[in-house]
Amino acid sequence: MENIKKNKKIIISFIFILMLIVLICLYLLSHKTSLKYNDWLVVGHSYQEVKERYGDFDIEYEHSVAYQIDDGNQIIMPSHLPEYYWMVFDKDGIITKVYVDTKPGG
């Protein structure tokens, strides 16, 4: 009887750890470009929907908009160039691509 309780605890612990690993993997997959923004909730949606979800854009440039994700002043090897989470949208305002880069022109 005691052996069965011990096995149940081990199985429940294993399932909990496995679920935690799966959730972490899903989070990292949905935030591949930046941990702050969910790529799955951005790509394929209108830039207006993204603006409602995350707030006003920091930069609007031609067919791209961006949020600043880093100021470039890291302790180790600072670049002094802020990084932005760029979203490219098509003529209908639907975001088709996301990437991280600095401002246009460096």
Side-chain angles (χ1 to χ4, degrees):
M1 188 69 168
E2 196 173 298
N3 196 17
I4 293 173
K5 285 184 179 182
K6 185 178 178 183
N7 286 341
K8 280 185 180 181
K9 286 182 181 180
I10 291 172
I11 290 171
I12 290 172
S13 298
F14 177 75
I15 290 172
F16 176 77
I17 291 170
L18 185 63
M19 286 176 48
L20 188 62
I21 290 170
V22 168
L23 288 174
I24 290 170
C25 288
L26 282 174
Y27 181 83
L28 292 175
L29 284 173
S30 66
H31 293 76
K32 283 192 327 190
T33 310
S34 169
L35 292 178
K36 188 173 180 182
Y37 301 104
N38 186 333
D39 295 344
W40 295 351
L41 296 177
V42 172
V43 176
H45 293 85
S46 71
Y47 73 95
Q48 190 61 35
E49 290 173 325
V50 174
K51 186 175 182 179
E52 289 171 6
R53 176 177 289 276
Y54 293 114
D56 291 333
F57 301 113
D58 295 324
I59 297 177
E60 296 186 30
Y61 181 78
E62 294 178 358
H63 289 287
S64 300
V65 290
Y67 291 113
Q68 184 174 347
I69 56 174
D70 184 19
D71 63 2
N73 293 324
Q74 300 89 346
I75 294 173
I76 299 173
M77 296 180 62
S79 66
H80 304 293
L81 295 172
E83 287 187 332
Y84 293 88
Y85 180 80
W86 285 96
M87 297 159 278
V88 179
F89 57 90
D90 62 12
K91 62 181 173 68
D92 298 323
I94 304 298
I95 296 176
T96 58
K97 177 181 166 185
V98 294
Y99 62 95
V100 173
D101 202 357
T102 59
K103 281 185 177 181

